[in-house]
């Protein structure tokens, strides 16, 4: 059986930008450093009023198909991962296929379509579905398109408002892929949690501080589970480690946890022992609380070591380059982190072929998933073809007052206002329910 993985990728950012330090912080009466240093976010992307999860997803797919000269006959499956769906019956993939059929010769009648939901981890789950479909030999030589598309909006004045974002990532999953192959080995951490949920509501009910703790707890379980199948891990096994990135500050915490975990019983733990001691072992403590306090103290010390800082700068920091500028894209977030790492490698002229990437996905509600990927020889050409830097630079810079109008325009409980801030160009636009078209 040939290798299966991500063959091609395309990104579409919402075309508006909110500057968190210049525009958002002063209105909130906050120190801008809370956002830029604390959360690690500088800007968020928002959809213009003619954009939504369908248009962003369809526009990403259109670029993907055009860039790779694909026709509908090459695609046997379209899966959309989103937690921003406006339809409880018809999957968003059908709307996206409908858009694409306006542009490409042929149709997608033969393609299996669906929608995947498990908060932000659904993008990775949809890749898994495509992977399994191909590995089962049901694809008849065709590829799958997986789209992760979200408008990550919070209610006005919710603490999550600073972490909003909007955009889509389209990925082609194929045999013998050009970008990365996926490991069979996976680890999961999954539990019924209620820290972030949207039962019949557009904006999430969030216990933000608890959501951070739940992310860490499920991620620890997933890393342990992954290690139980992949064998002992070492930090140097992986050139990058993209994590689900609701904001870079969250990844700072998750990466530290993962590093502590995978350096246990390695020469790194021994080498650091003189400076910070050995990692606490459960059997050395009478109760869980004392153990957990000792782990926290060790983790704080670990964070201050040069060894950890060097690993973080090389393995994690590059994966945050896009997220810092666009905010949380929910299902797409870990997938832009992968791309950001590879983009950094390309800009540094590094050869990544054969290198391994540790991919850590997460979705509230809650589930973490960990696997690894191996970079393929065509990776550099694929990454070089992306125009995400131009898209990010071209976004319209909103004033706070304009941001308030854009937020209201995307609030499903309010009348939609079609004031436009940018001019659509050769792309799918939303003109009202049931009317979706390519505007030239
Ligand atoms: P908050 O109360 O506004 O912020 O909420 P804070 O007071 O906790 O400050 C944030 C950080 O900035 C802290 O850093 C502060 O110390 C620091 P930390 O101690 O955590 O390392 N800070 C400063 N640093 C420098 N200079 C300053 C300054 N002031 C403060 N002047 C919270 C933060 C994350 C709770 C909020 O943004 C929120 O509710 N976000 C939404 C929920 C979320 O993103 N949770 C993340 C985990 S769950 C997840 O990732 C899943 C998700 O993507 C959804 C899905 O799966 O579908 C959300």
């Amino acid at each position: 059986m040939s290798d299966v993985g991500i063959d091609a990728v395309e990104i579409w950012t919402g075309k508006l930008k909110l500057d968190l330090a210049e525009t958002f912080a002063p209105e909130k009466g906050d120190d801008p450093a809370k956002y830029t240093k604390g959360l690690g976010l500088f800007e968020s992307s928002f959809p213009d009023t003619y954009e939504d999860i369908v248009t962003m997803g369809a526009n990403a797919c259109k670029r993907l198909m055009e860039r790779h000269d694909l026709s509908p006959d090459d695609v046997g499956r379209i899966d959309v991962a989103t937690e921003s769906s406006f339809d409880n019956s018809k999957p968003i993939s059908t709307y996206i296929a409908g858009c694409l059929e306006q542009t490409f010769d042929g149709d997608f009648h033969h393609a299996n379509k669906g929608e995947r939901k498990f908060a932000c981890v659904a993008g990775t789950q949809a890749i898994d579905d495509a992977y399994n479909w191909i590995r089962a030999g049901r694809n008849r030589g065709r590829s799958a398109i997986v789209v992760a598309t979200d408008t990550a909006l919070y209610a006005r004045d919710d603490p999550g408002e600073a972490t909003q974002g909007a955009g889509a990532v389209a990925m082609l999953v194929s045999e013998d892929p050009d970008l990365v192959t996926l490991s069979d080995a996976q680890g999961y951490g999954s539990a019924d949690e209620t820290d972030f949920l949207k039962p019949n509501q557009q904006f999430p009910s969030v216990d933000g501080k608890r959501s951070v703790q739940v992310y860490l707890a499920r991620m620890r379980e997933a890393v342990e589970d992954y290690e139980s199948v992949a064998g002992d891990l070492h930090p140097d096994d992986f050139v990058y480690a993209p994590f689900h990135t609701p904001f870079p500050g969250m990844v700072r915490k998750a990466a530290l946890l993962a590093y502590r975990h995978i350096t246990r019983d390695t020469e790194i733990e021994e080498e650091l022992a003189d400076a910070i001691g050995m990692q606490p072992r459960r059997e050395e403590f009478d109760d869980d609380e004392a153990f957990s306090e000792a782990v926290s103290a060790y983790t704080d010390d670990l964070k201050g070591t040069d060894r950890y800082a060097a690993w973080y700068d090389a393995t994690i920091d590059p994966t945050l380059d896009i997220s810092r500028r666009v905010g949380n894209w929910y299902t797409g977030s870990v997938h832009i982190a992968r791309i950001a790492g590879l983009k950094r490698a390309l800009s540094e002229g590094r050869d990544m072929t054969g290198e391994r990437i540790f991919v850590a996905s997460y979705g509230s509600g809650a589930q973490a998933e960990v696997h690894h990927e191996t970079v393929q020889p065509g990776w550099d050409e694929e990454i070089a073809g992306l125009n995400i830097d131009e898209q990010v630079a071209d976004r319209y810079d909103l004033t706070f007052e304009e941001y308030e109008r854009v937020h209201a325009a995307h609030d499903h409980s309010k009348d939609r206002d079609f004031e436009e801030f940018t001019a659509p160009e050769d792309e799918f636009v939303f003109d009202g329910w049931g009317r979706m078209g390519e505007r030239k």
Side-chain angles (χ1 to χ4, degrees), residues 31 33-34 37-39 83 119-120 154 158-160 163 195-196 206 208-209 211-212 215 244 246-247 250 252-253 328 330 362-364:
D31 179 351
K34 173 178 173 181
K37 291 204 166 66
L39 296 176
E83 56 171 289
C120 307
Y154 289 76
D158 186 289
T163 66
D195 54 304
F196 175 110
V206 198
K209 304 272 191 251
S211 75
V212 170
Y215 180 131
H244 167 57
F247 52 93
M250 181 72 238
R252 278 201 297 268
K253 296 180 204 294
N328 191 357
Y330 286 160
Y362 175 74
S364 285

Side-chain angles (χ1 to χ4, degrees), residues 103-388:
T103 296
F104 293 96
D105 285 340
D107 60 48
F108 289 98
H109 291 200
H110 57 275
N112 187 8
K113 307 182 190 82
E115 189 171 311
R116 248 301 185 170
K117 183 178 70 181
F118 195 146
C120 307
V121 77
T124 299
Q125 290 182 316
I127 291 177
D128 272 355
D129 293 340
Y131 175 88
N132 294 336
W133 171 71
I134 296 173
R135 290 296 295 263
R138 290 176 150 181
N139 62 318
R140 292 184 254 162
R142 294 161 173 166
S143 299
I145 288 182
V146 169
V147 188
T149 180
D150 271 300
T151 46
L153 295 182
Y154 289 76
R156 295 294 317 282
D157 298 326
D158 186 289
E161 197 181 1
T163 66
Q164 299 176 114
V169 181
M171 291 165 280
L172 192 72
V173 180
S174 310
E175 290 176 58
D176 297 323
D178 280 348
L179 192 60
V180 290
T181 55
L182 271 56
S183 63
D184 282 343
Q186 289 178 295
Y188 286 99
S190 188
D192 177 17
E193 300 279 5
T194 54
D195 54 304
F196 175 110
L197 60 165
K198 306 179 193 168
N200 289 324
Q201 61 196 53
Q202 183 188 1
F203 302 130
S205 297
V206 198
D207 180 345
K209 304 272 191 251
R210 195 173 133 59
S211 75
V212 170
Q213 296 312 318
V214 174
Y215 180 131
L216 294 174
R218 301 290 80 79
M219 192 56 75
R220 181 182 50 73
E221 291 169 354
V223 173
E224 282 171 3
D225 191 41
Y226 174 67
E227 208 162 25
S228 76
V229 57
D232 285 342
L233 306 177
H234 190 284
D236 298 343
D237 293 344
F238 304 103
V239 69
Y240 291 126
F243 279 73
H244 167 57
T245 313
F247 52 93
M250 181 72 238
V251 175
R252 278 201 297 268
K253 296 180 204 294
L256 181 60
L257 173 143
Y259 187 85
R260 176 178 59 72
H261 194 86
I262 63 182
T263 50
R264 200 172 50 190
D265 298 327
T266 65
E267 84 289 355
I268 297 179
E269 185 186 17
E270 300 274 348
E271 283 166 26
L272 291 174
D274 281 348
I276 60 170
M278 297 291 279
Q279 294 200 27
R281 270 40 181 193
R282 177 66 188 88
E283 57 277 14
E284 297 161 356
F285 295 84
D286 291 337
D287 56 66
D288 287 344
E289 200 180 320
F291 173 58
S292 133
E293 278 167 16
V295 169
S296 283
Y298 178 86
T299 309
D300 281 347
D301 290 344
L302 179 64
K303 186 164 60 175
T305 62
D306 291 345
R307 180 120 198 194
Y308 177 71
W311 178 81
Y312 182 90
D313 285 349
T315 315
I316 303 293
D317 188 69
T319 69
L320 305 174
D321 285 348
I322 301 176
S323 144
R324 282 188 259 270
R325 312 277 312 274
V326 303
N328 191 357
W329 284 13
Y330 286 160
T331 52
S333 159
V334 68
H335 307 293
I336 54 179
R338 177 200 294 105
I339 293 164
L342 293 173
K343 266 181 92 285
R344 180 83 79 94
L346 187 71
S347 72
E348 291 169 353
R350 295 167 64 184
D351 182 10
M352 295 287 290
T353 304
E355 298 284 4
R356 281 185 167 193
I357 299 177
F358 178 92
V359 181
S361 305
Y362 175 74
S364 285
Q367 181 160 301
E369 189 268 0
V370 165
H371 67 271
H372 74 259
E373 297 174 0
T374 307
V375 181
Q376 298 302 299
W379 74 277
D380 43 355
E381 203 179 315
E382 182 56 25
I383 297 297
L386 294 170
N387 71 345
I388 183 64

Side-chain angles (χ1 to χ4, degrees), residues 37-51:
K37 291 204 166 66
L39 296 176
L41 283 172
F42 291 77
E43 297 158 4
S44 309
S45 283
F46 287 87
D48 206 329
T49 53
Y50 58 83
E51 296 186 290

